[in-house]
Amino acid sequence: MAYDKFNIIKSSAVPLNIDNVDTDQIIPARYLKATERKGFGDNLFRDWRYNSNNEIIKDFPLNNEDYSGRILVAGKNFGCGSSREHAVWAIYDYGFRAVVSSFFADIFKNNCLNIGVLPVQISEDFLDELFSEVERDNNSQFEINLPKQSISIISNGQSENFNISKYKKENMMNGFDDIDYLVDRKEDIITFANKIPR
Amino acid sequence: MGKTLFDKVWDNHVISKIENGPDVLFIDRHFIHEVTSPVAFVGLKSRNLKVLFPDKTFATADHNTPTINQHLPIKDVLSAQQVKTLEKNCEEHGIDFWGLGHKMNGIVHVIGPENGITQPGLTIVCGDSHTSTHGAFGAIAFGIGTSEVEMVLSCQSIMQQKPKKMRITIDGKLNDFVTPKDVAIYIISQLSSSGATGYFVEYAGDVFKSMSMEGRMTVCNLSIEMGARGGMIAPDEKTFEYLKGREFSPKDKEWDNAIKNWSNLKSDSDSVFDKEISFNASDIEPMITYGTNPGMAVPISKEIPDFDNSGSEASFSKSLKYMNFKEGDVMLGKKIDYVFLGSCTNGRIEDFRSFASLIKGKRKADSIDAWLVPGSHKVLKSIKDEGILEILESSGFKLREPGCSACLAMNDDKIPAGKYAVSTTNRNFEGRQGPGARTLLASPLVAAASAITGKITDPREII
Ligand code: SF4
């Protein structure tokens, strides 16, 4: 599915300082029953945003009015567990375009790159800096610059670079996905398949 | 320099390489189910694409299906719609669909191997992280997201960066009552739930060599729980023996050829891994988890530690608070409410045999709700044919119909909030088995022992 091109975003950030956040927390299984990609943002972090009586849990960062922005800053090993792409759809549909952490689970990272959410992997030290900065000033602005592969804290100029493959970077900047690439090479694939019948 | 088993299978499937980017990898077998496939089919439609090789995709309904009264229409409207959508999509694109009531129906990672669809040397994917299960046969198998499901449907290939390689070797002999599940949980507890992220694991050594195919599947299944993309074990006589004569296994001359090819699928003695780890079989005890990720586990006779290294202190306390446990608590003897036997981790016939071996001649504790859910109709049939059902019933247990059930609690099988379940599944995440449910992962033997006493029990004490 086509997504908005990603170039540079400047935004405040929502902090989620918890490690090992699994995709069951990002979107619980009972919200995976749709047959179309619609409305997943409403159920992002469902069981951390609402209690069992469906009341809002006020101090959860997504419900805390102090925090807003298109960047989610999260503790290490973010997105572990289930391969459900619904987790990334929920993040995207809620309005985030980038997730920043010191470590991502593999499948989650691939899913992000496939639908236009940028996973920004930085050092643990810089991640701590980001958390303290949001704590100091919840409106503090950050810049994620994809062409330069950098993330910076605008108030103090601190910045760090992140890795992304050249191929994926170009995809993100153009709003392309892998299917566009593969469809163009279908003939090669068919030739390959016929060479080794299995 | 020689090649590892993983290299051999991977390199054999690379259609092309992108400089500074992923490899284009050909996929031999694709499994789909009702939950992660519908949006992929919507994508195909909107791009006006067809399924390229429908006979390489196999479909089942498992995640969202009821485990009682499967002969009746599904009550939950959304679940019913998901299953119906899958059926329609399969019909439209010429894909085999093994829906409810079909004799091949069951959990996707159980039916692949038991029908011989899973074979050594293949690349296998599914929109489900526990696809790693199929690595037990020496295949490269891993979970993918829905965008990738769409890629495989439309182009029978996927774009992936080649992962690093790790080998985990365990030599020696396992202690009595230590099962493949304990081996896997032990490894995860040692490496943490992210310790193998970025790697594909090969399991080697005496312990895996002497393990049954079912046991190997349990181990490979849990590879994802330490972050690995997948795990694999070199195929051997046991693998061939298991596959011989199964519905989709090669036959006659093709079988002889296959054996010849499969026999080369092992890591060369001079191949190099990015990381090598080894453990001693004799150090492993029956294990149980106490926290909210599978790495938070201890030998069943031990206490909950003061801290583990899988995350920050705050995350550790958050976990214990959710479980309502404290540092230093002894696991043995804690009261539990539910026992769940099933899932693609421990829902195969061997797991039911193992469970039955312990409860035979004893009774389920009255305080325990036990849900026993076979991984497939074939497993269910064997349970009946082998007389296991009688053993279960005379001990006060009932059997449900196949499906994922309380493993992810998408259907009605939800553990109520605050209740404790000893579960043979793979994830003890917050709310995984139902909102507020508290999961203790363990082997079928620990589950059986705990079902008899109503509290966390060491199977060695029951005999
Ligand atoms: S049994 Fe559990 S882990 Fe296995 S496929 Fe079903 S939901 Fe996934």
Side-chain angles (χ1 to χ4, degrees), chain B residues 125-137:
Chain B
V125 295
C126 170
D128 185 285
S129 56
H130 292 97
T131 308
S132 58
T133 312
H134 308 261
F137 293 78

Side-chain angles (χ1 to χ4, degrees), chain B residues 62-63 107-109 128 130 221 343-344 404 407-408 426 432:
Chain B
D62 56 357
H63 279 61
I107 304 175
V108 61
H109 310 308
D128 185 285
H130 292 97
N221 171 282
S343 87
C344 59
C404 294
C407 175
L408 90 167
N426 39 60
R432 169 81 177 183

